[in-house]
Amino acid sequence: MNEKAKQPLTVRDLLFDLTRDGLLDEKKIPAIDDHLQAKAAHRSEPTFVKLLLALGAWGAAICFVVCLAIADLIQSEFPWPFAWSAVFLVAATLLRNLTRHLFPHQLALALSAVGHYFALWGAFEISTDQDSLAASASVSIVLCLVLYPLYRDSLYRFLSCLLAAACLTAWIVADEVWPLLHVEMLAKIVAIGLVFMVRPDLRVLRPMGYAMAVSIPANLFLVLMPDDVLAAPWWPANVILALSLCWLYQWTAGGWQMLRSEPLVLAVLATVGLACFTTPGVLAAIGLMVLGYARRDQYLIGIGVVFFPTFIVVFYYEWQISLLYKSWVMAGSGAVLLAARKYLSLRQWAREAVE
Amino acid sequence: MSNSKPELAKATHPLDQPVDEQTVRDLYAAGLISPAARDAGLASLRVDPHWWRWANRSLLFVGAALVLAGIVFFFAYNWARMPAVAKFCLIETGLWICAFGAWRRGLEATSGKVLLLSASMLVGVLLAVYGQVYQTGADAFEIYVLWAGLIFLWVLIARFAALWILWLVVTNVAAILCWIQVDAPQDFDFYFGIFSILAVWNGLALAAREYGAARGLAWLAGSWTRHVIWFSVVAYLTVPAIAFAVGEMGHGELVGAIGLALTLAGGYVYFRHRAPDTAALGFGILSLAIVVLAFIGKWLFELTDGAIAFLVFGLIVLVISSAAAFYLRRVASILGSAGEPD
């Protein structure tokens, strides 16, 4: 293998190949260059800047809520929390959409957080103890659906989707409707597939996709951490994740017919083998990393990489299963992956690629 | 520096980025390539060997991590029916197999490095089981010190960043446990002393990393090692500095606060001008923002309490976080991808 073959294919390489094969007019290359440069110019800002903005707005929102509580300005009776929520959310949306500077955007994010707080508070006030979490989940989902298109800020969209997912999960856990944990996870996987695989061109949906990817571990930790009260079986999550992975493989490879190729037969067999006895966290981490690599998306790869060791630690502290059984699950899962790698190393096509 | 600029410009040009399925589909959606060109592009991506290289490495790292986790879980179970000699034989056999495998594969190969990392982990497992079986009464920190000592030569010869970071983590845990389990040294008994000591220790590790990377040690050049160590240095110093800002005036807090000021100043010069890295600058600025907010909060809530103090403090939080984000955004746009080394 020459040195060039070891490098990933670049856009320039691809355009050269297409031009050489008569599939692309060379005169179009400058237009393609302009298109890609314009896209690169709109690249989102670094993760730590977003983290800083989110932390700042969240800290400020707490201060504002405490300020209002101490000043005794907010009445807790219906409909006042909702009225205040509407005031803050409308103000935040207008401020975000009508200004161009960082500080008003930060202020808008903090005000929107305060608005969400009052909406959740209102939901608690109008409901009984039994259905308060259902009410808060409903309110947060409605707010997310309504404000997602209106509030044009990726950080807000990400956080509001994350809040809605968290409220929904809390409601499922509080009401002990365990099968819904798996249904919720399936819905999140469908959303991730929609955002990153079916309509990757709709960048407006990306924050929702990332929020779903970040929130999947919460479902799996709850599936994994049963005690006498909280009890959910693993196998539905394993089935859902294994099927999702197979779908991901065929999408990455370019169609269902590609599943008959040797590498994908191996991938499917390894996935089915893992799904028979491993924990869903391993499959989810693998899925996020494979999707992230296929999309060249550092966020998804990062979520998968962070989730993997976190999951192992959480699994260690899982309560119902002995460490002995867990050790077989872990070591067995690793053995399946290492066996798949060993098989790959014996194949000529894989060896050439690696070398 | 000047020699690297053309390379940098080439590396950051969109046409020289690795192509993915989405780029091909984007170009088709924008009407820039024909359906036939799209299909040919997607087909060429599917046979691109980068997938097999990625799968090869990922299967190795994830598989090895799971097997090692399984081994750790197994010995944490402390199976009473299993004789002690069997436990030792099992671990030592695994250790020898890994060490022998690393020697056979060679430390140039990734699999050889992973095998040596596994052997180093098994040394820790062996020491933990030794402590389980013999109940020597020794402090836990001694196990970590011994572990760090026993694998030190492997760390030196492996040229593997993950093993080096593992060793650093082991030494950090040893120092923290020593501080907790043993009386602090004479004239050194301030509470936050351990944070300053670990910041110095990790700072030395960072200096070694930067020196090595600058001298062309490719195995040290991955930015994740810099970020992990720099984050630990800043975090260790931020804790005592916050305590100092809110009025704890002990020696440890003072040393930590002075140390943080010097570290952030040095870090700014280095990561802004010598080795541009916006993420590293971001850690420093986040730390500075937290300490400044702690100081202002202490002063403000002493001056006045009640609703107005929270309102003002909330606005100050917004101002400081906005200013920090504005600065980092500007630096990131100036540095471009040079600020995010691979």
Side-chain angles (χ1 to χ4, degrees), chain A residues 39-106:
Chain A
K39 209 174 136 195
H42 286 95
R43 192 171 290 169
S44 60
E45 59 199 345
T47 314
F48 52 87
V49 173
K50 290 180 180 170
L51 181 71
L52 196 62
L53 292 171
L55 287 175
W58 188 61
I62 291 173
C63 291
F64 295 157
V65 169
V66 175
C67 164
L68 292 168
I70 292 174
D72 212 13
L73 287 174
I74 310 291
Q75 297 90 329
S76 61
E77 296 81 21
F78 179 82
W80 288 109
F82 289 111
W84 279 106
S85 168
V87 168
F88 279 109
L89 288 172
V90 169
T93 308
L94 289 174
L95 192 60
R96 178 61 182 83
N97 292 342
L98 297 177
T99 58
R100 287 172 169 269
H101 298 288
L102 193 55
F103 180 75
H105 289 180
Q106 270 286 77

Side-chain angles (χ1 to χ4, degrees), chain B:
Chain B
M1 244 352 226
S2 59
N3 288 340
S4 65
K5 276 183 179 170
E7 283 300 311
L8 181 70
K10 184 176 186 294
T12 54
H13 194 283
L15 286 180
D16 293 305
Q17 296 295 322
V19 64
D20 59 9
E21 287 87 350
Q22 179 52 32
T23 306
V24 177
R25 291 194 171 107
D26 274 352
L27 294 178
Y28 172 70
L32 292 163
I33 59 173
S34 65
R38 177 199 61 188
D39 293 343
L42 291 175
S44 66
L45 288 176
R46 281 167 206 141
V47 296
D48 191 332
H50 68 86
W51 263 108
W52 314 128
R53 287 196 300 277
W54 183 80
N56 182 53
R57 286 176 70 89
S58 301
L59 287 170
L60 177 63
F61 284 115
V62 175
L66 285 170
V67 169
L68 281 173
I71 292 170
V72 170
F73 283 23
F74 179 78
F75 288 102
Y77 176 68
N78 198 9
W79 201 358
R81 280 188 300 168
M82 191 176 189
V85 69
K87 289 180 184 173
F88 287 125
C89 283
L90 205 59
I91 300 171
E92 287 182 34
T93 305
L95 205 161
W96 278 104
I97 288 172
C98 288
F100 182 73
W103 175 67
R104 287 286 298 162
R105 295 288 300 167
L107 291 175
E108 294 303 320
T110 310
S111 53
K113 291 176 191 290
V114 171
L115 281 165
L116 201 55
L117 174 70
S118 305
S120 303
M121 287 289 292
L122 288 175
V123 170
V125 174
L126 179 68
L127 293 173
V129 171
Y130 184 86
Q132 269 179 4
V133 170
Y134 293 110
Q135 302 285 327
T136 57
D139 289 321
F141 85 90
E142 292 177 48
I143 287 177
Y144 284 90
V145 171
L146 197 55
W147 185 6
L150 287 174
I151 65 172
F152 182 63
L153 280 178
W154 285 349
V155 174
L156 284 184
I157 63 168
R159 285 169 292 153
F160 188 32
L163 181 52
W164 194 60
I165 293 292
L166 170 73
W167 184 80
L168 197 61
V169 169
V170 171
T171 59
N172 273 242
V173 175
I176 292 169
L177 289 176
C178 178
W179 198 263
I180 293 169
Q181 293 171 345
V182 181
D183 281 342
Q186 288 293 312
D187 302 323
F188 205 65
D189 56 349
F190 44 80
Y191 183 68
F192 283 115
I194 187 62
F195 290 114
S196 303
I197 292 168
L198 284 175
V200 171
W201 175 240
N202 290 346
L204 290 172
L206 181 63
R209 184 261 173 216
E210 294 300 317
Y211 181 76
R215 304 289 264 182
L217 295 180
W219 62 273
L220 266 179
S223 63
W224 73 274
T225 51
R226 170 192 280 171
H227 292 160
V228 166
I229 305 172
W230 172 242
F231 179 78
S232 73
V233 171
V234 171
Y236 280 135
L237 291 172
T238 302
V239 176
I242 291 172
F244 183 76
V246 297
E248 298 290 334
M249 298 295 182
H251 289 108
E253 293 85 334
L254 181 62
V255 170
I258 294 170
L260 182 68
L262 294 174
T263 301
L264 292 184
Y268 173 78
V269 172
Y270 186 75
F271 294 124
R272 178 68 183 84
H273 300 292
R274 294 288 301 276
D277 186 333
T278 41
L281 276 177
F283 293 147
I285 285 177
L286 182 63
S287 161
L288 183 65
I290 290 171
V291 174
V292 169
L293 282 172
F295 180 76
I296 293 174
K298 155 91 172 156
W299 172 79
L300 183 67
F301 287 100
E302 275 180 355
L303 196 70
T304 173
D305 56 1
I308 195 73
F310 280 97
L311 179 65
V312 173
F313 190 64
L315 289 171
I316 291 171
V317 169
L318 284 181
V319 168
I320 288 180
S321 61
S322 299
F326 177 79
Y327 172 74
L328 286 172
R329 196 184 262 183
R330 205 167 64 95
V331 170
S333 71
I334 292 169
L335 296 178
S337 58
E340 305 275 6
D342 291 330

Side-chain angles (χ1 to χ4, degrees), chain A residues 181-229:
Chain A
L181 278 177
H182 301 292
V183 176
E184 187 195 8
M185 194 182 67
L186 176 62
K188 288 175 181 176
I189 290 171
V190 170
I192 291 170
L194 176 75
V195 172
F196 294 104
M197 292 150 80
V198 180
R199 294 305 303 270
D201 52 317
L202 289 180
R203 299 186 72 84
V204 70
L205 294 178
R206 293 279 173 89
M208 180 184 74
Y210 291 126
M212 296 302 106
V214 168
S215 64
I216 275 186
N219 286 63
L220 295 177
F221 292 158
L222 290 167
V223 168
L224 271 180
M225 299 284 286
D227 58 9
D228 291 341
V229 181

Side-chain angles (χ1 to χ4, degrees), chain A residues 234-286:
Chain A
W234 291 357
W235 67 265
N238 274 8
V239 170
I240 292 168
L241 287 162
L243 291 174
S244 308
L245 270 171
C246 292
W247 200 83
L248 175 59
Y249 297 151
Q250 68 79 26
W251 175 82
T252 307
W256 289 104
Q257 74 280 2
M258 298 298 288
L259 284 183
R260 282 181 294 217
S261 64
E262 189 186 357
L264 289 186
V265 168
L266 180 69
V268 170
L269 284 178
T271 304
V272 171
L274 279 178
C276 289
F277 67 92
T278 196
T279 66
V282 172
L283 293 171
I286 291 172

